[in-house]
Amino acid sequence: MKLLCVSDQIDPLIYSTSMKERFKDVDLVVSAGDLPAEYLGFIVSVLNQPLYFVLGNHDNEQQLCASTSPESGYAWMSRDSHGAINVGSTTKEEGRLLIAGLSGCMRYNRGQNQYTDFQMWLMSLALVPRLLINKLRYGRFLDILLTHAPPLGIHDKQDICHRGFQSFLWMMKAFKPKYLIHGHIHLYDMNDVRVSNYLSTTVINAFGHFVLDLGRNDE
């Protein structure tokens, strides 16, 4: 199973006529935020695969989330009726994958989708009942934690805007997702670190695009 991870930048390798051929073996798409609705709609329509997203600090929630009902979790992308699933502050099951999401970044100018560290702790704790149900039902809490911001001290920066969240470290320690996929941190150098390990979790910066091969063992 292959995942296409995207965030923060419109990638010409994706926004092109050759996208379908280039990513024909992708089974699932995840967006870590800060991408236009029309771009996500293009990906859905071309690949015809499920797309899960969280909101970034530059995303327009009204544009991305026509339905904010936690029961539906469904969002229409632009006016073309191309759909994607908002996984922010909830959990979803896609095939045999268990996905949870946390939107937004550290609060720095009172803008949209910005939170204090305390607020993100509350949002993280609110996921716990669903994760416990996953453990009872599937024998594990979580496979993928999809976030916009990075964890504290992993891929983050010193300035308040790009500082990571401490609660994400706790989430990885307590619930052991195989992957934490984030955005928000732009990569300008090919030598910048994109993939790191924390305990039993692989942390991936999805800036631009990143193809994640889960192999056959996706449970």
Side-chain angles (χ1 to χ4, degrees), residues 28-54:
L28 176 67
V29 185
V30 294
S31 168
D34 279 356
L35 289 171
E38 292 79 7
Y39 183 66
L40 298 186
F42 173 81
I43 295 173
V44 171
S45 63
V46 171
L47 294 184
N48 194 29
Q49 297 291 356
L51 190 156
Y52 290 83
F53 72 94
V54 293

Side-chain angles (χ1 to χ4, degrees), residues 150-151 153-157 162 182 185 193-196 203-205:
I154 304 176
H155 303 168
D156 65 346
K157 305 295 182 182
H162 297 98
H182 71 85
I185 306 301
V193 177
R194 179 189 282 269
V195 181
S196 300
V203 181
I204 299 170
N205 184 348

Side-chain angles (χ1 to χ4, degrees), residues 109-148:
N109 67 1
R110 299 178 182 270
Q112 60 185 357
N113 306 318
Q114 297 178 22
Y115 306 99
T116 65
D117 205 43
F118 178 71
Q119 288 174 318
M120 188 56 74
W121 267 107
L122 294 178
M123 293 166 64
S124 299
L125 290 170
L127 290 175
V128 170
R130 295 174 181 265
L131 298 179
L132 293 176
I133 291 173
N134 283 350
K135 181 66 172 178
L136 291 172
R137 183 177 296 174
Y138 305 105
R140 66 194 190 282
F141 299 105
L142 187 60
D143 296 312
I144 296 174
L145 179 59
L146 180 64
T147 68
H148 180 59

Side-chain angles (χ1 to χ4, degrees), residues 150-167:
L152 180 65
I154 304 176
H155 303 168
D156 65 346
K157 305 295 182 182
Q158 293 298 314
D159 62 291
I160 187 64
C161 174
H162 297 98
R163 188 180 304 164
F165 286 107
Q166 187 178 32
S167 63

